[in-house]
Amino acid sequence: MRPANIVTAWADILVGFAASGAGIIFAQLINGEASFAILIPLAWLLLATTGLYGGGIVFNDVFDAELDAKERPNRAIPSGRVSRQNATLLGSILFAIGIIAAFQVSLLSGAIAIFITLSSLLYDSLAKHHPFFGPLNMGLCRGSNLLLGVSAVPAIIGERWYLALIPVIYIAAITAISQGEVHGGKKITGVLALLLIAIVLTAVLALGLLGEYTAIAALPFAILLAIRVLPNFVKAAREPVAENIRNAVKIGVLSLIVLDATVASGFAGLYYGLLVLILLPFSMKLAKVFAVT
C-alpha cells in the first residue's frame, strides 16, 4: 500500500480543501467561531483518498506480479508473502471504502472517486507502459485527487478546476523519469522532467495573479520545493542510471507534500501551509520502513 505515498494524497485533499475556501474554517475553529463538526466532510475525504490511493497502489502490484517476479522478486506478491488473489481482494476493498466515503460528502465527490478508481486501474493495467499516456494518466489521478478535496464545497469545482493541472504536470514529470528506475533512462527524458518541474514552480507563484491567492505566503514553500527536487532531477538528467532515477522519484513523490503546502499557503495563509507541511516528516519516517517507488 506504500503508506508514505498515501500521506502525500492526504496533502492533496488539504490543499483542495483550502482552495475551496473551506480552509478559513481552521481560523474560525481557533477563534472559537465554529465547531469541529464542520470538519466532518474533510474527514470523509481523507478516508476516501486513503482507500483510493491505497487501492491503486495495490492493483499496481497485482498487474505487475509477473514482471516483478523477474525485476523485483522481493516485493510482496512475487516473494509469496501475499497471494495475487488476496491482493486483488484488498485492492477492491480499499477502492470500495474510498468511493463510499466520498459519497458521504456529495454526489460530485462520489463521481470524482469513481473517476479516480477507473483512472488508477487504467494506469495500472495499460497506460503506465506508454511513454506519453502513462505520465498523463498518473497526473490525472493526482489532479483529480486535488479536486476531490475541492469538492468539500461542490459549487467551487467550476471555479478551481484549473488547479488540477499543477499536480498533473508535476506527476507527469515524476512518472516520465521513473520509467528508467530499473534499467536506467535517457537524458532527454530527464531534461523533459526538469522542464515540467520548472513550469510547476512558475505556476504556483503565478497563481498570485488571482485575487484570492497570496504569492508571498507561497514563496518560502516554493523555494523549499525547488531545493528538494531540482538537484536530484538535475543529477538524474545528467547521469540517468537507475540509482539516480530512483532517488529523484522518491524525493519527487515525497515532495508532493511541499508542493501542496505551497498552494495551500497561497489560498489559506502561512499557518495552513505549515499544517500541510507537517505531513512531510511523517511521510519521510514511513518511507524508511515502506517502499516508495
Side-chain angles (χ1 to χ4, degrees):
M1 285 175 61
R2 302 202 193 23
N5 301 40
I6 290 178
V7 175
T8 71
W10 294 351
D12 291 344
I13 297 299
L14 288 173
V15 71
F17 192 71
S20 73
I24 195 67
I25 288 173
F26 285 92
Q28 294 174 340
L29 285 171
I30 293 173
N31 295 329
E33 299 171 5
S35 69
F36 281 95
I38 204 165
L39 294 179
I40 290 176
L42 176 61
W44 280 118
L45 292 175
L46 288 171
L47 176 61
T49 198
T50 300
L52 296 172
Y53 199 105
I57 289 293
V58 170
F59 270 103
N60 178 71
D61 281 13
V62 169
F63 284 107
D64 272 1
E66 295 178 4
L67 181 63
D68 284 344
K70 301 175 183 177
E71 296 183 346
R72 304 174 186 181
N74 61 321
R75 279 193 168 179
I77 296 176
S79 68
R81 299 197 304 276
V82 179
S83 71
R84 199 169 183 175
Q85 181 179 6
N86 283 346
T88 301
L89 177 61
L90 173 61
S92 301
I93 291 173
L94 288 168
F95 274 143
I97 290 172
I99 292 172
I100 292 170
F103 269 112
Q104 305 309 305
V105 178
S106 70
L107 290 177
L108 180 58
S109 301
I112 293 173
I114 291 173
F115 177 80
I116 293 173
T117 298
L118 296 177
S119 296
S120 297
L121 290 172
L122 177 61
Y123 175 80
D124 291 340
S125 60
L126 294 173
K128 70 178 171 187
H129 301 295
H130 193 280
F132 174 77
F133 290 108
L136 177 63
N137 191 164
M138 177 52 72
L140 284 173
C141 289
R142 294 299 300 227
S144 300
N145 196 47
L146 189 154
L147 291 183
L148 185 63
V150 179
S151 72
V153 183
I156 303 297
I157 288 280
E159 298 178 24
R160 297 281 188 262
W161 63 269
Y162 56 84
L163 292 175
L165 298 176
I166 294 175
V168 166
I169 297 171
Y170 184 83
I171 287 297
I174 295 175
T175 308
I177 203 170
S178 73
Q179 293 173 352
E181 66 180 353
V182 176
H183 302 296
K186 301 177 181 178
K187 287 189 176 182
I188 186 65
T189 305
V191 172
L192 174 61
L194 269 173
L195 176 62
L196 293 174
I197 294 295
I199 291 173
V200 168
L201 289 169
T202 303
V204 295
L205 295 177
L207 286 172
L209 297 173
L210 299 173
E212 311 85 6
Y213 189 90
T214 308
I216 193 66
L219 182 59
F221 298 95
I223 292 173
L224 176 61
L225 178 63
I227 291 172
R228 281 183 56 84
V229 174
L230 289 180
N232 291 281
F233 271 70
V234 168
K235 186 176 182 179
R238 286 179 174 174
E239 301 176 55
V241 297
E243 182 180 359
N244 289 346
I245 290 173
R246 281 196 296 270
N247 287 336
V249 171
K250 181 177 180 178
I251 293 296
V253 169
L254 297 181
S255 295
L256 266 162
I257 294 172
V258 185
L259 172 61
D260 286 337
T262 305
V263 180
S265 63
F267 278 110
L270 179 64
Y271 293 121
Y272 190 95
L274 290 172
L275 173 68
V276 177
L277 192 62
I278 287 173
L279 293 176
L280 180 59
F282 183 39
S283 182
M284 291 173 67
K285 192 75 174 178
L286 288 172
K288 293 181 179 180
V289 183
F290 301 98
V292 172
T293 65

